Amino acid sequence: MESGTTSTGVSSKRLWAGRIISALPVLFLLFDSVIHIIRIGPVDQGFAELGYAVTLARPLGIIELICVILYVIPRTSVLGAALLTGYLGGAVATNVRVGAPIFSHVLFPVYVGVLLWGGLYLRDGRLRAIFPVRS
C-alpha cells in the first residue's frame, strides 16, 4: 500500500527535495571537516591569517564532523542542525572580526545554515508543524 508520503507526513517529492538541498551543505561541511582534521597547508595558513592557533584546526574539524554526523542521522538531525548553526555562527563572528568581505566571506556560513535548515524543513514534517509557513 504505497501512498506517496512517509510516516512523518512528508510527500516523496518534498522528501527528495529536502535530501538534495541538505546534501549540498553536508558535502561542503564534510570536506571542510576532513581538511581540518588532516591539516593541509591552506588550513594552517587560513588559521594563522584569522588569528587562531593552528593546533585548533584538528579539534574544530572533529567537532564539525560530529555535528554533521548528528545532522545526517534522522533521529538527531535537529540537534545536529542546532549545533552546526552555533558552529557556523562562530565562523561569521570570526570573519566579522577580521574585516572579511560581507557577501563572500561573512555571509557564506549563513548561506550554508539556510540550506541546512531549509533541507531539514522539507524533510521533517514535525519541524514544519512547529514552524508553519502561513499564507
Side-chain angles (χ1 to χ4, degrees):
M1 184 160 93
E2 192 72 25
S3 67
T5 61
T6 64
S7 61
T8 59
V10 179
S11 73
S12 60
K13 287 182 183 180
R14 184 174 279 177
L15 178 66
W16 277 103
R19 286 176 178 168
I20 291 167
I21 291 170
S22 294
L24 299 171
V26 164
L27 291 173
F28 169 75
L29 292 169
L30 281 174
F31 170 77
D32 190 56
S33 65
V34 168
I35 65 171
H36 279 81
I37 292 169
I38 62 175
R39 282 194 45 201
I40 62 174
V43 168
D44 288 351
Q45 180 184 355
F47 266 69
E49 289 173 3
L50 294 171
Y52 289 116
V54 295
T55 57
L56 292 174
R58 191 166 286 129
L60 286 175
I62 292 168
I63 291 168
E64 183 179 14
L65 182 61
I66 290 168
C67 293
V68 171
I69 291 169
L70 288 171
Y71 178 76
V72 299
I73 298 171
R75 192 177 282 258
T76 59
S77 58
V78 173
L79 173 62
L83 293 172
L84 284 167
T85 301
Y87 185 88
L88 294 168
V92 169
T94 296
N95 283 306
V96 167
R97 183 179 57 82
V98 299
I102 292 282
F103 293 105
S104 61
H105 290 67
V106 173
L107 291 179
F108 184 78
V110 174
Y111 307 147
V112 173
V114 166
L115 290 172
L116 283 169
W117 282 102
L120 185 57
Y121 189 84
L122 291 173
R123 291 186 289 131
D124 193 333
R126 296 169 299 170
L127 189 59
R128 280 193 317 284
I130 295 170
F131 300 107
V133 175
R134 300 181 187 198
S135 56

